[in-house]
Amino acid sequence: MKCEFMELALELARQGLGRTSPNPAVGAVLVRDGEIVGRGFHTWSGVDHAEIVALHEAGARARGSTAYVTLEPCSHMGRTGPCADALIAAGVARVVAAMEDPNPEVSGRGLARLRAAGVEVELAREYEAAAAQINEAFVHAMRFARPFVTLKAAMTLDGKIAARRGQSGWITSERARAHAQMLRHSSDAILTGIGTVLADDPLLTDRTGLERSRPLLRVVLDSRLRIPLGSRLVQSARGDVVVFGPGSGRELRELGVEVRTGGLAEALAYLQGERYRSVLIEAGAGLNGSALDAGIVDKIFFYYAPTIFGGAESLSMAERCSPDVPVRIERVRLHDLGDGEFALEGYVHRDR
């Protein structure tokens, strides 16, 4: 059954995307006698969680109200006190949550605390999928202890990312690239390989101009530490560039680049340890193939231009070591970008 108040809470939660990590994006709506008395969503800069923002707006009108929240109210002490305790103290009579919190520190404890205090609790299971979608990276990181990985690529209709090896240049339009910038905005980190750096000299920044909870971390896999000191990545480093490769990288460190030993597996372990929930791969065929072969890609976002390269020298999206083992994509969704361009969004099938 459709609930306008939970729909509003979900819409509020979406306003926090890119602004809450490593925390989830949450929306809350307080309703008393059929009237909305408080609403809120969380942003990192604002500190207060969605429930607290809604309670502040409602004031005394919160007593006897129903709280519609997109995620189970927290029960542990973080930068702020437990939201479950705040709802109890405000006299909220009923809490409707779209889903339980996958965080092991909460995981049902918030709802149990509310029930123990005499608050009526209901799980709106019909909204669980929508709530989980908003926080897919956070949910994934909590359940599987690694970042949620999205592989993004721009290609021709025949699946080519370049006419020949070493060639660079835009395939899709400025409109499609602007759409792709929103992927960067909703990601905590962006990962590329040294081949892309040498060929394109990219900045790999979030150019949306929208507020973020922290800078987009730029990560480069460089097995021989060949990244040029004069590259735009190195020259723009402000504690937001990490290179994985051999050696000490003393000159890179002096320019503000963090250098760590290892490759793809070590990069993901580092990001998980630093609480980066989502990673966007924007790379060439080699790293794309390695990521698919390693089974670490969770989602794909492919942008298609209405062109065809063809030819034996044109480069495919991924060079895989095991092309005989297909990667199955499910829950496919198409985005019409106009003028023949479109994007394909989908999730890698998991046998679990």
Side-chain angles (χ1 to χ4, degrees):
M1 181 181 297
K2 185 175 180 179
C3 172
E4 62 175 303
F5 303 124
M6 186 61 78
E7 298 274 354
L8 175 57
L10 290 167
E11 193 56 42
L12 288 169
R14 294 185 184 98
Q15 294 184 45
L17 289 175
R19 305 165 67 185
T20 65
S21 186
N23 290 347
V26 181
V29 176
L30 294 178
V31 179
R32 178 175 170 179
D33 298 327
E35 178 189 356
I36 296 175
V37 296
R39 66 189 78 194
F41 63 93
H42 170 60
T43 65
W44 188 255
S45 61
V47 179
D48 284 341
H49 289 185
E51 298 93 325
I52 307 303
V53 175
L55 286 172
H56 285 166
E57 181 181 323
R61 296 178 296 172
R63 185 163 299 278
S65 68
T66 295
Y68 294 87
V69 293
T70 58
L71 189 68
E72 172 186 2
C74 63
S75 58
H76 64 291
M77 179 67 71
R79 292 197 307 161
T80 61
C83 291
D85 288 356
L87 292 167
I88 293 167
V92 171
R94 179 170 172 253
V95 171
V96 181
M99 65 178 292
E100 291 186 0
D101 193 330
N103 185 347
E105 294 184 0
V106 183
S107 191
R109 294 181 181 87
L111 299 180
R113 184 174 295 192
L114 290 166
R115 291 190 182 100
V119 177
E120 182 184 349
V121 172
E122 177 186 339
L123 277 173
R125 294 293 188 186
E126 64 271 29
Y127 285 100
E128 182 175 6
Q133 172 69 32
I134 292 172
N135 287 305
E136 62 182 4
F138 176 80
V139 171
H140 182 277
M142 291 298 105
R143 291 178 176 169
F144 302 108
R146 72 166 178 82
F148 183 82
V149 178
T150 298
L151 175 60
K152 174 256 177 183
M155 63 188 81
T156 60
L157 291 177
D158 55 341
K160 306 300 183 179
I161 60 174
R164 60 185 60 85
R165 188 175 299 277
Q167 184 185 64
S168 61
W170 300 115
I171 291 178
T172 53
S173 69
E174 185 176 341
R175 179 180 53 256
R177 296 196 296 274
H179 189 279
Q181 279 293 319
M182 293 305 298
L183 294 183
R184 291 188 182 182
H185 176 66
S186 61
S187 301
D188 292 339
I190 186 167
L191 175 67
T192 196
I194 183 59
T196 297
V197 176
L198 294 176
D200 300 337
D201 193 20
L203 268 174
L204 300 180
T205 53
D206 175 0
R207 296 192 291 276
T208 63
L210 299 173
E211 181 187 34
R212 300 182 58 92
S213 58
R214 52 184 169 175
L216 179 67
L217 185 70
R218 298 172 288 171
V219 183
V220 181
L221 301 187
D222 186 359
S223 61
R224 288 184 283 166
L225 218 56
R226 292 181 292 157
I227 187 168
L229 297 181
S231 65
R232 296 202 296 167
L233 271 170
V234 172
Q235 290 299 310
S236 65
R238 299 294 184 273
D240 59 350
V241 176
V242 183
V243 175
F244 280 81
S248 65
R250 179 180 56 82
E251 292 177 303
L252 288 171
R253 294 178 192 275
E254 290 175 351
L255 291 172
V257 176
E258 183 174 356
V259 180
R260 303 185 69 87
T261 303
L264 181 57
E266 288 76 17
L268 287 181
Y270 166 81
L271 292 169
Q272 174 66 14
E274 296 296 317
R275 303 175 74 201
Y276 287 93
R277 309 300 191 197
S278 55
V279 181
L280 181 65
I281 296 179
E282 287 194 24
L287 180 51
N288 289 347
S290 296
L292 289 169
D293 284 334
I296 57 97
V297 177
D298 302 294
K299 183 176 183 178
I300 59 102
F301 223 112
F302 293 164
Y303 290 84
Y304 287 90
T307 55
I308 293 174
F309 277 159
E313 294 185 357
S314 57
L315 195 61
S316 296
M317 181 276 299
E319 292 180 341
R320 300 186 59 209
C321 294
S322 53
D324 55 327
V325 181
V327 177
R328 292 173 52 198
I329 306 300
E330 58 190 14
R331 290 179 282 160
V332 173
R333 178 186 175 195
L334 295 179
H335 303 261
D336 185 358
L337 303 178
D339 293 333
E341 289 186 313
F342 64 94
L344 186 149
E345 175 185 9
Y347 294 83
V348 175
H349 173 76
R350 304 289 190 205
D351 293 319
R352 59 172 178 244

